[in-house]
Amino acid sequence: MTEPVTALLEELLKRIAADVPGAVGAAVSVHHHGLPLHVAAAHGLAAVFVAAQLDEFGGPVVTAGDTGLPVVTADVFADERWPSLTLTTLLERHPGTDWLRVRGVAALPAPWDTDGRLVLSVTLDRPATEETLKALRRHERFTAMALVVAEAARPDRTEQMLDLLQSRAALEEAKGIVIALRRCDPDEAWETLRRASQQFNVKVRELAVALVELLAGAPAPQPDGDRTIDPSPAARVAAEQVLRAFEPGRVELTGP
């Protein structure tokens, strides 16, 4: 990433940390096209702490990236889910860092394009709670868009940026539909779309557009040209199945 874009992400993380009580650091980690999760930008103690999780010990950020589910821990060094992530080990491997300030962690995974996931995380000097996750959700969408800008800043990535923006818009519309019909939170809405796309073997962005068009009874608003998302017949069948799953008495998706 270019220096101005990295500075933009770091400033965003600084503001997120200021918005979360007890935060001593914040980070955004990403994986894309099957590549391993890596730190895109970090602020405060999270710069070392998240890298240590990804490279050596595992931890909340790794678990959130692998499962696609939010992770909250009240005391990360005493949490049995990550036995290798201990205060003693970090003090030995990374001396000079004030690890005594670290206690709770919250990690929120979210899609940032159709092929990648981000994990927005905060490191706290107190237990993390569901309220911590709520604070992260307030910043999730802007963080995802900042990553799109970061991707576009790479050489010869203008076309990809436009594709990402278009895919992101379709996903947000479809997530809104699922949230309204299922009365769920954004994480569950995204998981519903992702699971359906895998089950029916269709691209999630095509499923998203098909869902919007099925509910509206009209073509989804899209720009003209090569970037128009045209759902396949399989994606339209998948959209019908998703809507049927929200009918009374129906809780599971049914494959073709």
Side-chain angles (χ1 to χ4, degrees):
M1 294 183 185
T2 65
E3 291 184 6
V5 173
T6 300
L8 170 67
L9 287 170
E10 290 175 352
E11 181 63 28
L12 172 61
L13 292 171
K14 187 184 299 184
R15 295 187 181 189
I16 292 172
D19 188 46
V20 179
V24 294
V28 57
S29 309
V30 297
H31 62 69
H32 190 53
H33 293 309
L35 297 176
L37 194 67
H38 67 278
V39 178
H43 166 70
L45 284 176
V48 179
F49 188 43
V50 174
Q53 293 178 58
L54 299 182
D55 297 338
E56 302 177 77
F57 307 116
V61 173
V62 177
T63 299
D66 288 344
T67 65
L69 300 174
V71 176
V72 175
T73 180
D75 189 345
V76 66
F77 296 134
D79 200 309
E80 295 180 352
R81 288 175 288 181
W82 310 290
S84 299
L85 187 64
T86 67
L87 179 58
T88 300
T89 304
L90 285 172
L91 286 169
E92 292 175 351
R93 297 282 186 89
H94 301 278
T97 301
D98 190 4
W99 295 116
L100 294 177
R101 297 180 64 196
V102 176
R103 187 173 179 190
V105 177
L108 177 69
W112 71 277
D113 74 348
T114 57
D115 298 308
R117 177 181 293 155
L118 68 85
V119 179
L120 182 60
S121 61
V122 286
T123 303
L124 310 176
D125 63 5
R126 63 194 68 184
T129 66
E130 289 300 318
E131 291 300 316
T132 313
L133 282 179
K134 288 182 181 179
L136 289 182
R137 288 189 178 100
R138 291 196 294 269
H139 299 280
E140 176 265 320
R141 183 176 297 187
F142 189 73
T143 303
M145 296 307 298
L147 283 170
V148 172
V149 174
E151 183 77 1
R154 295 171 57 187
D156 303 320
R157 297 304 294 240
T158 302
E159 292 298 315
Q160 289 88 337
M161 180 198 71
L162 294 173
D163 289 339
L164 288 172
L165 288 171
Q166 178 62 10
S167 298
R168 182 75 188 177
L171 288 172
E172 289 300 328
E173 285 192 70
K175 279 172 60 179
I177 289 173
V178 176
I179 290 169
L181 294 178
R182 195 166 184 173
R183 297 181 181 178
C184 63
D185 61 32
D187 297 328
E188 187 176 347
W190 163 244
E191 184 61 23
T192 297
L193 292 171
R194 187 187 66 82
R195 194 167 58 242
S197 74
Q198 292 177 342
Q199 185 170 342
F200 290 91
N201 194 27
V202 298
K203 293 181 178 179
V204 69
R205 63 180 180 179
E206 291 188 17
L207 172 62
V209 172
L211 191 61
V212 172
E213 293 185 345
L214 181 61
L215 195 66
Q222 296 193 66
D224 296 328
D226 295 338
R227 271 176 286 276
T228 298
I229 300 172
D230 186 16
S232 66
R236 296 190 186 279
V237 170
E240 292 175 358
Q241 291 286 355
V242 169
L243 286 183
R244 286 176 188 167
F246 299 140
E247 296 175 358
R250 297 288 296 276
V251 295
E252 297 292 336
L253 298 174
T254 302

